Amino acid sequence: AALLAVGAFGFPMLQASGFTPPGLWSDFRFASWGLLFGLVGVIAAAVLAAACRPQRGAALLLGAAGVVLVRLLSLPLNHTIAPGVTAGRGLLVAIVCLVALVVAAGMAGGLAHREATALPTRRR
């Protein structure tokens, strides 16, 4: 999911003739800082979730999924910027990243549930 986040935030979410979306690798401008902070947040949450307890890891992954969801919402919210707006390359990558984060959060939540409901071992 962390690798997919690079594509989700690096590729443009929408394309239109005569419109250049802000980017991380080209046309870096003020709006690109938001993309950069979102990317760093998602990568940090994905890396930290692997080192956390399952409940906290699931919460981190769901938070990162929320950040990617906000990125996905930029397409319907910005469709009136220019005439003829279409989906960019980042849309598919962001959808796959969102699915990967939600699946990973579900796996961590399942592990947390299994740990919480496990029978305690008897100590001597």
Side-chain angles (χ1 to χ4, degrees), residues 13-14 16 19 22 70-71 73-82 85:
M13 192 62 61
L14 50 95
F19 173 71
V70 169
R71 174 76 173 139
L73 288 176
S74 68
L75 179 65
L77 292 175
N78 294 327
H79 74 280
T80 59
I81 288 179
V85 172

Side-chain angles (χ1 to χ4, degrees), residues 5-6 9 24 33-47 67:
V6 174
F9 286 92
L24 292 178
W33 284 103
L35 295 173
L36 184 64
F37 290 141
L39 174 63
V40 169
V42 171
I43 290 175
V47 169
V67 173

Side-chain angles (χ1 to χ4, degrees), residues 5 20 22 26 38-39 42 44 49 54 57 64 71 76 79 92 98 105 108 123:
T20 305
S26 63
L39 174 63
V42 171
R71 174 76 173 139
H79 74 280
L92 182 62
L98 179 67
R123 295 183 182 180

